Amino acid sequence: MVCVYLPGRDMCIDNSFNKMEKSHSLFSPGNIAGLELRNKIIRSGCFEGMSQGGNVTDKLIEHHREVAAGGAAMTTVAYCSVSFDGRAFENEIWMREEIVPDLHKLTDAVHKEGAAASIQLGHCGYFASKKVIKKTPVGASRKFNLFRLSYCHEMSVNQIEEKVEDFGKAAQMAKKAGFNAVEVHAGHGYLLSQFISPWTNHRKDKYGGSIENRMRFPVDIIKRIRKYVGNDFPILVKMNQFDGMKGGLEVEEAVEVAKYFEKAGADALIPSCGFTSKTPFYMLRGNVPIKEMVSNHKDLFTKIGLTLFGRIMVEELPFDKLFLANGARKIKDAVSIPVIYIGGAISLTDMKNVINEGFGFIQMGRAIIHDPQFVNKLKNGEVTESDCDHCNRCVAAMDAGGVYCVTKTEKV
Ligand SMILES: Cc1cc2nc3c(=O)[nH]c(=O)nc-3n(C[C@H](O)[C@H](O)[C@H](O)COP(=O)(O)O)c2cc1C
């Protein structure tokens, strides 16, 4: 049997029958820009809430070791800010030299379990917490944040250039810490998304207006990261296929965004959706756990706001299997780099179909939070579908000491 790896699909030639047939692609190795992964399932970045003071903790290391031991090909350390002023919470990592040795402990633990490790790098722009970053947040344009009840400053060109460098340096530190890839967060209404989206970018300079201008800052970031990490290091980009509100990014323009990222040097794209400060549950679907969010939130204003207006502020959309497939397909068909499917991949049949359709990999969040052994169990035939009920109480849990499946724990 001879296996040939093409971006996004692997074909095995079975000599005995002299014909070409698809191998069991989901559990056969895949490749992103030279990085060999043991199968096609990657744990997506799901904020862990385990980094008090912005530090790597034993709990965070154990969390990712457990995911790796559960069979995923790669695990993603969620939202790490490229600088101190890009944080929404006190327990979010910001990248700095002094934590590189601890990050190395995390990547070592993951590698020992046979998986690769990726790190999500971002900046949350206008929804950074003034309390946490000790100054007024910055964004693409001046904007009021309903969840924080605060305005941000529009970034100056100097500040934009500074952030480009911050992303480059953060990626360099990630590589030094033993990560196998970086994932740039350009979706969910984070800073890059704030530049890409016409809903938040009202700039009149070379960073606003046309799609070319709105992509200038994200493109510069990808190029700077490439300069720092070299050609043989995968850069993944999590982007939006749509923002979820009138005046935001729509799928047609997201296809163009994807092409810009490919041209800038991205090695794989993850088309998600939603805007954390406006449509936070679009990327998740299922129940909105307002009661738990209120009781776990530390900020009094947010607690009051959520109690009074939570049901109006946070729209609830029903969960559907593969709920982001339509837009993801459009993006896949427009680029030649691997596109990683994300959103409601919970059944073995769906996952196999997604890979057979030509998606390079699948990212999975809640199914693995619910059961860290899920990938091994799928592979061994013990289960064919996740029984995560999309109550989304794991989202509230991350604000109260660390993410875990609340439903499962209650059943024990
Ligand atoms: C508890 C929790 C935390 C999350 N935090 C992040 C995050 O930090 N960064 C991110 O890009 N996505 C985050 N997400 C979204 C997931 O990565 C993923 O896009 C979403 O859950 C849909 O995938 P799923 O249906 O497989 O869960 C989070 C999801 C959950 C459930």
Side-chain angles (χ1 to χ4, degrees), residues 121-166:
L121 300 176
H123 187 291
C124 67
Y126 91 107
F127 60 82
S129 159
K130 205 169 171 177
K131 231 181 184 165
V132 171
I133 69 170
K134 302 183 184 16
K135 60 180 181 185
T136 304
V138 291
S141 302
R142 192 166 152 76
K143 179 101 188 152
F144 185 70
N145 181 353
L146 196 60
F147 284 91
R148 299 255 179 236
L149 300 177
S150 66
Y151 272 102
C152 73
H153 291 312
E154 173 169 312
M155 280 168 85
S156 67
V157 171
N158 276 349
Q159 284 172 322
I160 290 175
E161 283 163 5
E162 236 175 68
K163 284 291 152 260
V164 171
E165 184 65 6
D166 286 344

Side-chain angles (χ1 to χ4, degrees), residues 44-47 78-79 120 183 185 188 190 238 272 283-284 319 323 342-346 363-367 369 392 394-395 398 403:
S44 70
C46 289
F47 183 56
Y79 189 75
Q120 190 175 59
E183 179 179 308
H185 206 333
H188 297 180
Y190 282 71
K238 190 164 184 177
S272 185
M283 65 200 79
L284 293 161
F319 179 85
F323 59 83
I342 193 165
I346 57 165
Q363 276 202 357
M364 197 183 273
R366 286 163 293 180
I369 293 174
N392 291 326
C394 52
V395 178
M398 75 191 183
V403 73

Side-chain angles (χ1 to χ4, degrees), residues 196 210-220 257 260-261:
I196 297 168
S210 65
I211 180 76
E212 184 186 0
N213 282 356
R214 283 181 279 129
M215 284 303 293
R216 194 177 306 280
F217 175 49
V219 161
D220 285 351
V257 168
Y260 273 97
F261 277 126

Side-chain angles (χ1 to χ4, degrees), residues 46-285:
C46 289
F47 183 56
E48 305 87 356
M50 297 172 185
S51 297
Q52 284 68 27
N55 294 310
V56 180
T57 58
D58 289 346
K59 195 170 172 181
L60 183 75
I61 295 174
E62 175 52 21
H63 179 79
H64 286 283
R65 188 209 59 77
E66 197 182 24
V67 171
M74 181 154 81
T75 184
T76 309
V77 176
Y79 189 75
C80 297
S81 179
V82 296
S83 56
F84 185 79
D85 63 357
R87 297 190 304 152
F89 303 103
E90 188 277 333
N91 55 3
E92 270 170 5
I93 288 179
W94 80 97
M95 296 298 282
R96 53 212 196 275
E97 283 294 338
E98 72 196 66
I99 63 162
V100 168
D102 288 335
L103 284 173
H104 220 306
K105 285 185 197 159
L106 188 152
T107 58
D108 286 346
V110 168
H111 293 156
K112 264 191 203 143
E113 300 290 354
S118 174
I119 184 167
Q120 190 175 59
L121 300 176
H123 187 291
C124 67
Y126 91 107
F127 60 82
S129 159
K130 205 169 171 177
K131 231 181 184 165
V132 171
I133 69 170
K134 302 183 184 16
K135 60 180 181 185
T136 304
V138 291
S141 302
R142 192 166 152 76
K143 179 101 188 152
F144 185 70
N145 181 353
L146 196 60
F147 284 91
R148 299 255 179 236
L149 300 177
S150 66
Y151 272 102
C152 73
H153 291 312
E154 173 169 312
M155 280 168 85
S156 67
V157 171
N158 276 349
Q159 284 172 322
I160 290 175
E161 283 163 5
E162 236 175 68
K163 284 291 152 260
V164 171
E165 184 65 6
D166 286 344
F167 268 91
K169 287 245 170 75
Q172 187 185 40
M173 283 182 244
K175 189 176 178 187
K176 198 164 140 192
F179 283 97
N180 305 94
V182 291
E183 179 179 308
V184 175
H185 206 333
H188 297 180
Y190 282 71
L191 183 62
L192 275 64
S193 186
Q194 290 162 30
F195 273 78
I196 297 168
S197 176
W199 191 70
T200 34
N201 186 340
H202 308 294
R203 299 178 72 97
K204 301 279 177 263
D205 62 3
K206 64 178 181 177
Y207 295 100
S210 65
I211 180 76
E212 184 186 0
N213 282 356
R214 283 181 279 129
M215 284 303 293
R216 194 177 306 280
F217 175 49
V219 161
D220 285 351
I221 285 172
I222 302 301
K223 289 183 176 166
R224 187 66 57 88
I225 291 178
R226 181 62 72 208
K227 196 175 137 203
Y228 273 104
V229 297
N231 285 333
D232 59 348
F233 193 78
I235 304 173
L236 283 56
V237 177
K238 190 164 184 177
M239 55 171 281
N240 270 6
Q241 23 174 300
F242 58 91
D243 293 337
M245 66 285 202
K246 202 163 173 259
L249 187 77
E250 302 287 353
V251 174
E252 293 67 32
E253 211 176 29
V255 167
E256 299 309 309
V257 168
K259 291 182 193 165
Y260 273 97
F261 277 126
E262 178 177 32
K263 201 161 162 230
D267 295 302
L269 301 174
I270 307 146
S272 185
C273 75
F275 230 75
T276 302
S277 55
K278 178 75 178 165
T279 52
F281 277 74
Y282 269 54
M283 65 200 79
L284 293 161
R285 312 295 162 103

